[in-house]
Amino acid sequence: KRLVLITDGLENAGSLTKMAGSVTSADVDVKIVKLTQKMEEEVYVSDLTLPEFVHEGDNFQVKVTIQSNVETPAVVSLYSGRTLRGQSSVNLTPGTNQFVFQDVGEKNGTQDYRVMVEAVNDTVSMNNEYCAFTQVESNPKVLVIEGEAGEGDQLAAILDACGVEYDKITPTGAPDELSELVQYKAVI
């Protein structure tokens, strides 16, 4: 029996030392062909992290993770749709490089993002972009149903002080369809 192992010498799963013991005890002739691989200068975007959802007008962070095996100057650009949201000239170091941009939730719906890194020393440009998205929700709204007009004025003053949007109505004006109530986060 003969086993020809073609390898770059880097383990990615399992354990070579455990397997070597099994193969030699089974009286297998092992031949190893080591591939030589020239490590070229490489930079790539490995992650773009956003909150799952934000409300309209909310400020939030967009976190960018870039991997590099070389020290090199680069430009990191963040786009939302076709609009440039931020750009930084940076010096990448070998290993993991993290950067944070700030943005604001715009209109209700999906807000997509794309980050690009343009490094001076880089071999493959196809892995220099990463896309992600967040869901922008309209600001929560509360429905206040007061027994008689004016009974909910104190509660309305508290909601105003907290910046909570609300509609104030009497029971006769209350929605009688569920589809009309779903626009509210709470009914008081």
Side-chain angles (χ1 to χ4, degrees):
K1 297 180 220 177
R2 177 177 290 181
L3 172 68
V4 178
L5 177 63
I6 302 172
T7 179
D8 60 4
L10 303 173
E11 284 184 333
N12 56 11
S15 170
L16 181 61
T17 52
K18 286 182 182 176
M19 288 304 296
S22 301
V23 170
T24 54
S25 67
D27 198 30
V28 175
D29 181 28
V30 178
K31 300 293 182 198
I32 299 173
V33 178
K34 186 168 189 295
L35 299 175
T36 56
Q37 186 179 48
K38 182 179 174 190
M39 280 297 273
E40 299 194 25
E41 297 172 331
E42 187 53 40
V43 172
Y44 66 94
V45 181
S46 62
D47 197 19
L48 177 59
T49 306
L50 300 157
E52 188 176 330
F53 72 90
V54 295
H55 290 110
E56 291 177 350
D58 283 355
N59 290 311
F60 61 94
Q61 294 183 339
V62 179
K63 297 176 185 173
V64 178
T65 305
I66 298 173
Q67 301 294 329
S68 178
N69 67 357
V70 63
E71 190 166 332
T72 182
V75 175
V76 180
S77 304
L78 178 70
Y79 293 87
S80 178
R82 294 183 177 181
T83 306
L84 180 64
R85 295 296 215 195
Q87 191 170 58
S88 289
S89 294
V90 299
N91 286 311
L92 300 174
T93 58
T96 302
N97 298 265
Q98 294 187 318
F99 307 97
V100 177
F101 291 92
Q102 300 291 324
D103 204 16
V104 177
E106 290 186 341
K107 60 183 180 181
N108 192 25
T110 302
Q111 198 164 318
D112 62 311
Y113 288 86
R114 178 173 51 100
V115 67
M116 292 175 44
V117 60
E118 298 169 87
V120 172
N121 301 321
D122 188 20
T123 306
V124 180
S125 62
M126 293 186 319
N127 56 9
N128 293 359
E129 291 187 26
Y130 203 102
C131 298
F133 67 91
T134 188
Q135 187 65 36
V136 180
E137 297 181 351
S138 57
N139 289 320
K141 197 172 190 181
V142 174
L143 177 62
V144 177
I145 303 176
E146 48 188 0
E148 293 184 23
E151 283 185 338
D153 288 347
Q154 289 180 342
L155 178 58
I158 294 169
L159 294 173
D160 283 333
C162 295
V164 176
E165 293 183 34
Y166 64 90
D167 288 334
K168 188 169 67 164
I169 58 173
T170 60
T172 56
D176 42 354
E177 296 290 325
L178 184 59
S179 61
E180 296 172 19
L181 285 172
V182 295
Q183 67 177 313
Y184 298 103
K185 287 287 185 183
V187 177
I188 303 172

